[in-house]
Amino acid sequence: MDRVTLQQLQAMKERGEPITMLTAYDYPTALLIDQAGIDLILVGDSLGMVVHGFENTLPVTMDMMVLHCQAVRRGTRRALLVADMPFMSYQTGVTDALRNAARLLAEGGADAVKLEGGQRIAETVRALVETGIAVMGHIGLTPQSVSALGGFKVQGGTVEAARRLLDDARALQEAGAFSLVLEAVPARLAALITRSLTIPTIGIGAGGGCDGQVLVTHDVLGLYERLTPRFARRYAHLADVMRQAFAQFRQEVLTRAFPAAEHEFSISDDVWQALLKELGEE
Ligand code: KIV
């Protein structure tokens, strides 16, 4: 099966065909997302919160990203695989950014990396792109700056902030990013940014005017109950399904309804009789 390419994503924007992206952090989920025909799979640093239970994404390390990326790679055939560069893996300079991005590609098997930030990281993005690394940008609500932003809040609410987001988007495109995530940006502003760029925008909490949409898979599946962003839609309630399955397993073990005959392995009568004889238990 042919892998989705950057050129195909660009062509989708030009044709006005919506682009789809979901996060995955493990092999079985990646396999199912890929089978559903989703265009991009993101190994997001949101894994710090939804898989590892941290309060935010800041404790996520390169080693964690590489490990999750390897698992997702094994389940991904068609989708383009993007890996987040975690906090402080690129903010410390171009050399660190190049080394860490190379790890995500060479060890993790990612096709592209995603970095948070606008104009201030444009030179880093340029250096990565010039080295041959495909880069996706991420502006608006950038969770690695959650404290500086004053929490998980919508961005671009003043003329100055909106103008800055537009300038950030243009700077990233100019630096060679192949696409941008717009997170928690007012819908009209996200649509304006989308119209003023030639590269595709992928929105999350940024309205229907973006070229594509991304959600955190745990929100889609109803698996992360600690925080439910207003912009996410639940397509399933797997937490309820899992709780019910675990409780039923417990109940069936307690009542000896599990395991049943079909779950047991047999031993031949000959072997059994010989064993009993040897043990003196005939
Ligand atoms: O880490 C993540 O899952 C993300 C998405 C919210 C876009 O960056």
Side-chain angles (χ1 to χ4, degrees):
M1 188 182 292
D2 287 343
R3 185 90 45 88
V4 172
T5 63
L6 304 187
Q7 292 70 22
Q8 282 167 354
L9 297 172
Q10 185 61 43
M12 286 172 82
K13 173 171 179 120
E14 284 155 22
R15 289 197 298 267
E17 198 180 311
I19 298 168
T20 52
M21 176 158 98
L22 284 172
T23 63
Y25 318 106
D26 58 48
Y27 166 78
T29 312
L31 207 57
L32 296 173
I33 292 176
D34 204 54
Q35 286 167 3
I38 299 295
D39 302 305
L40 297 117
I41 295 185
L42 172 67
V43 184
D45 60 357
S46 49
L47 65 85
M49 298 172 73
V50 302
V51 176
H52 292 270
F54 292 120
E55 291 273 311
N56 53 48
T57 59
L58 304 190
V60 176
T61 64
M62 274 301 300
D63 286 346
M64 288 162 75
M65 290 304 301
V66 168
L67 190 67
H68 284 281
C69 207
Q70 288 170 337
V72 170
R73 172 78 280 163
R74 289 180 208 114
T76 308
R77 308 267 179 280
R78 176 188 169 271
L80 190 93
L81 180 53
V82 183
D84 259 341
M85 296 200 65
F87 183 53
M88 282 301 149
S89 67
Y90 57 97
Q91 291 92 337
T92 46
V94 169
T95 310
D96 284 348
L98 285 169
R99 191 181 48 245
N100 287 319
R103 276 195 73 193
L104 290 170
L105 267 58
E107 291 176 48
D111 299 311
V113 296
K114 176 164 82 58
L115 281 67
E116 294 182 8
Q119 296 164 81
R120 74 187 156 77
I121 60 147
E123 281 321 304
T124 303
V125 170
R126 190 183 305 281
L128 291 168
V129 172
E130 280 173 0
T131 313
I133 297 174
V135 176
M136 176 178 266
H138 182 159
I139 58 172
L141 171 53
T142 45
Q144 291 174 15
S145 313
V146 62
S147 304
L149 297 177
F152 293 101
K153 289 181 183 160
V154 67
Q155 302 297 307
T158 63
V159 173
E160 194 195 344
R163 178 78 228 190
R164 203 167 40 240
L165 276 182
L166 190 58
D167 291 344
D168 282 342
R170 287 184 172 140
L172 291 168
Q173 172 173 282
E174 160 71 15
F178 73 90
S179 173
L180 288 191
V181 166
L182 304 180
E183 179 165 355
V185 174
R188 279 196 289 190
L189 176 58
L192 174 73
I193 293 173
T194 299
R195 282 197 305 276
S196 60
L197 296 182
T198 54
I199 59 171
T201 60
I202 314 281
I204 174 162
C210 296
D211 297 305
Q213 297 293 327
V214 55
L215 283 177
V216 170
T217 289
H218 282 54
D219 293 334
V220 170
L221 298 178
L223 264 181
Y224 183 69
E225 297 179 312
R226 197 152 114 190
L227 190 98
T228 312
R230 190 170 76 80
F231 54 70
R233 178 174 286 170
R234 267 191 195 167
Y235 290 84
H237 288 79
L238 289 200
D240 290 342
V241 173
M242 288 171 77
R243 253 190 301 269
Q244 159 65 24
F246 300 147
Q248 190 173 342
F249 165 73
R250 176 175 178 272
Q251 191 57 25
E252 292 191 357
V253 171
L254 295 184
T255 59
R256 302 194 186 281
F258 178 85
E262 68 263 30
H263 305 117
E264 293 181 356
F265 297 103
S266 60
I267 189 168
S268 76
D269 286 347
D270 289 354
V271 173
W272 188 239
Q273 292 309 329
L275 176 68
L276 291 184
K277 192 168 170 195
E278 200 175 299
L279 297 173
E281 291 195 17
E282 285 169 287

